[in-house]
Amino acid sequence: MGRGFFFLAALFFALANLTAACGASDGPKKTSPQAPSGPDASKIPGAWLTANGSYEVLLEWESGPQTGINNAAKINTTPRSDFATLPLQKITVTPWMTVHGHGSGNVQPIVEPLLFLGSGVYRVSNIFFVMSGPWDLKISLTDGTTSDTVVIPVEVPSA
Amino acid sequence: MKLRQFRFSAVFFSMSLICFFSSGYALACASCGSGGDEPLVLFPAETFKIYGGVAVTPQLESTGPDGSTLQTAGPNRRVNSTVAAGIALSPRGFFTVAQTVVTNSRTRTNNSDARKSSASKSGAADPSFSGRYTVMMLQLSRPLIPQIQILGGYRPALARSIHESSDANLLDVFGSGFDEVRVGADLWLGMLSVKTGVAMTLTESIAARRSGILLKPGTLVRLTTSLTMLSTVDHFGINLQPVKLAAGVTADRRTQAAADRELVDGSEQSVNGAFISADLAALESDSVKFTVARQGVFGVVKNAVASTTWSLAWARVLR
């Protein structure tokens, strides 16, 4: 019996250490979202500032956001600093359900310049949300030499 | 050995045999079940056992961080077909391997003509490798001394996960996407008329880069407790095989996930479940078990799936 209790004590000691180690300071640290981002930091009402402060990004839904359909939105990008002097060459949009740790499989949004190259206005279609709830649209902007990102939260309602 | 002692030993042996004979795979069950998520456990006298089981989940209900039910375009029905085998490495320890084939289905009603349409896909889930070692055996003379087992397991992320899915409705998602390591302990008071057990497992997922992000699901802590009793049915003078009836509750808690080494607010998971099962020794070396398990039976279901699973399992001792 004494031997058994020794094993039991050792086991729970090990489990307790393991649990403590999971929350130790070597692990991930809780940080605030991208510091300069958010609509409050922008000059354009409702726009989101990118992480490096290069652009303001305004998102307007054309259809949606809804679950289970291909949603579409218009993205208006406005240079804000000298950092963004070259015209944008590429924009990628990724829907991501951060609290669940997944996107929408390999359904990729399609990004097309809406007016003419360099205008900063894009139409994003094929935005698919596999479920309702809190999502993020992760937008990456590249001007050929540098890139910047912005994360725009989207609440997808239940029908 | 006196006759009374012999009878007691025989009854205890029979109970234990039935108890360890089979278990549900889709639910956790302390001691006699799958407190460690392995589909079968071996009694010390057994050296080789096989298992087959089918678990049907007719409805899946995903929930968000606030516990609200989410509308989903993913599968709303799932069938898990599992085969497993276990081999004893010593009288105290055994090793099991299990493989499940998942069938995801989605049925939806057309709004215009109210007709139902359905689609489904099947694929292999992540395999599971598990082991148990009995640290402290049950003692006839000391019924309040529990059996203590330590358990461990490994589940490699071999199946297609949501990160590799090419189906808009996620019907081709069969795995978690992360290697998982599991450790735990299982205590069981098996010498009482109503047996009780409690098991605790910790499951740690190995961080992996998915969709360009270094993702790491939180640590899953699962607590399971159960009560088990034998019921002997005697109708019209016919002595039927004793049926082992079990009921229990589970509590799953998963800590915050991490993305690129930053904890994700609101990503904690919690769900409480309950189950009942009936286990019948069908033939000399076979057993059949029927189980109903409900995830989300009480409390808030947070970032998890509420569901009811009906499962039927069969096990046979080969040696």
Side-chain angles (χ1 to χ4, degrees):
Chain A
M1 176 180 167
R3 191 179 172 196
F5 274 108
F6 169 76
F7 278 116
L8 179 63
L11 175 67
F12 278 96
F13 180 74
L15 291 176
N17 277 331
L18 182 61
T19 307
C22 292
S25 58
D26 292 342
K29 294 180 175 60
K30 189 181 287 185
T31 60
S32 59
Q34 297 164 317
S37 185
D40 295 339
S42 68
K43 294 176 180 175
I44 302 172
W48 291 76
L49 191 61
T50 54
N52 294 333
S54 311
Y55 294 92
E56 290 188 16
V57 178
L58 185 64
L59 176 76
E60 295 175 78
W61 289 101
E62 292 182 354
S63 62
Q66 287 182 45
T67 305
I69 65 165
N70 289 323
N71 301 280
K74 190 170 72 174
I75 289 180
N76 196 330
T77 62
T78 306
R80 171 151 171 169
S81 68
D82 294 339
F83 190 64
T85 53
L86 297 172
L88 281 174
Q89 290 193 357
K90 187 180 180 186
I91 286 185
T92 59
V93 177
T94 307
W96 190 254
M97 193 173 198
T98 305
V99 293
H100 284 190
H102 63 75
S104 287
N106 282 327
V107 182
Q108 299 296 329
I110 300 166
V111 183
E112 301 163 299
L114 193 57
L115 299 174
F116 54 89
L117 197 62
S119 70
V121 183
Y122 298 82
R123 184 174 189 274
V124 186
S125 58
N126 212 36
I127 305 172
F128 191 82
F129 301 106
V130 76
M131 63 176 65
S132 61
W135 283 76
D136 290 326
L137 275 188
K138 303 169 79 167
I139 303 173
S140 172
L141 308 95
T142 306
D143 65 6
T145 58
T146 58
S147 62
D148 207 348
T149 58
V150 64
V151 179
I152 300 178
V154 176
E155 183 65 32
V156 180
S158 295
Chain B
M1 183 185 284
K2 293 179 181 175
L3 182 61
R4 187 175 175 184
Q5 284 178 317
F6 174 78
R7 281 178 178 166
F8 183 67
S9 300
V11 168
F12 163 66
F13 180 82
S14 302
M15 288 176 176
S16 303
L17 188 67
I18 293 168
C19 181
F20 281 92
F21 218 57
S22 65
S23 62
Y25 185 57
L27 74 156
C29 169
S31 298
C32 309
S34 53
D37 287 344
E38 60 269 70
L40 79 166
V41 289
L42 272 68
F43 184 68
E46 300 167 353
T47 56
F48 187 44
K49 185 155 61 175
I50 56 174
Y51 167 98
V54 176
V56 178
T57 307
Q59 193 169 4
L60 302 162
E61 237 176 51
S62 294
T63 62
D66 58 355
S68 60
T69 301
L70 302 178
Q71 183 188 357
T72 175
N76 49 22
R77 174 186 163 91
R78 180 167 292 145
V79 177
N80 285 358
S81 307
T82 301
V83 292
I87 186 166
L89 305 174
S90 76
R92 285 176 177 260
F94 62 86
F95 172 79
T96 62
V97 57
Q99 178 64 58
T100 296
V101 172
V102 179
T103 301
N104 291 318
S105 305
R106 178 167 177 79
T107 304
R108 66 176 181 182
T109 305
N110 194 326
N111 288 334
S112 59
D113 56 9
R115 279 193 303 184
K116 284 187 174 179
S117 60
S118 179
S120 65
K121 286 186 179 177
S122 299
D126 298 326
S128 174
F129 305 94
S130 304
R132 284 191 180 215
Y133 185 80
T134 304
V135 176
M136 184 186 291
M137 307 282 271
L138 287 173
Q139 299 175 45
L140 284 169
S141 58
R142 292 177 158 176
L144 294 179
I145 300 299
Q147 169 189 273
I148 300 173
Q149 292 182 322
I150 54 173
L151 51 95
Y154 174 63
R155 193 188 293 267
L158 300 180
R160 179 178 292 177
S161 76
I162 191 170
H163 306 290
E164 298 92 32
S165 171
S166 59
D167 188 301
N169 296 117
L170 305 181
L171 296 178
D172 59 351
V173 174
F174 309 116
S176 70
F178 299 92
D179 293 345
E180 293 177 344
V181 179
R182 187 178 63 250
V183 294
D186 193 331
L187 280 67
W188 187 51
L189 286 167
M191 298 300 294
L192 307 175
S193 57
V194 177
K195 303 163 200 330
T196 183
V198 59
M200 184 181 83
T201 60
L202 295 178
T203 303
E204 192 72 28
S205 299
I206 310 299
R209 192 164 289 280
R210 299 282 182 261
S211 305
I213 305 169
L214 184 64
L215 295 174
K216 184 186 178 306
T219 303
L220 173 66
V221 180
R222 167 171 290 178
L223 278 172
T224 306
T225 184
S226 64
L227 291 173
T228 309
M229 60 178 290
L230 275 184
S231 173
T232 305
V233 182
D234 187 0
H235 282 308
F236 310 111
I238 301 171
N239 271 319
L240 299 177
Q241 292 280 356
V243 177
K244 188 190 77 176
L245 302 173
V249 293
T250 62
D252 289 3
R253 300 288 181 274
R254 193 185 282 273
T255 61
Q256 283 178 303
D260 287 334
R261 300 187 183 280
E262 292 185 4
L263 294 176
V264 178
D265 284 336
S267 61
E268 306 95 333
Q269 297 178 10
S270 68
V271 61
N272 301 316
F275 60 88
I276 53 172
S277 68
D279 196 334
L280 176 68
L283 296 170
E284 191 174 338
S285 58
D286 295 61
S287 73
V288 176
K289 183 175 184 177
F290 175 71
T291 306
V292 182
R294 170 71 187 169
Q295 285 288 82
V297 72
F298 61 91
V300 177
V301 184
K302 193 173 173 185
N303 291 325
V305 175
S307 63
T308 301
T309 298
W310 306 74
S311 60
L312 186 64
W314 160 85
R316 169 175 286 183
V317 179
L318 296 179
R319 285 204 305 266

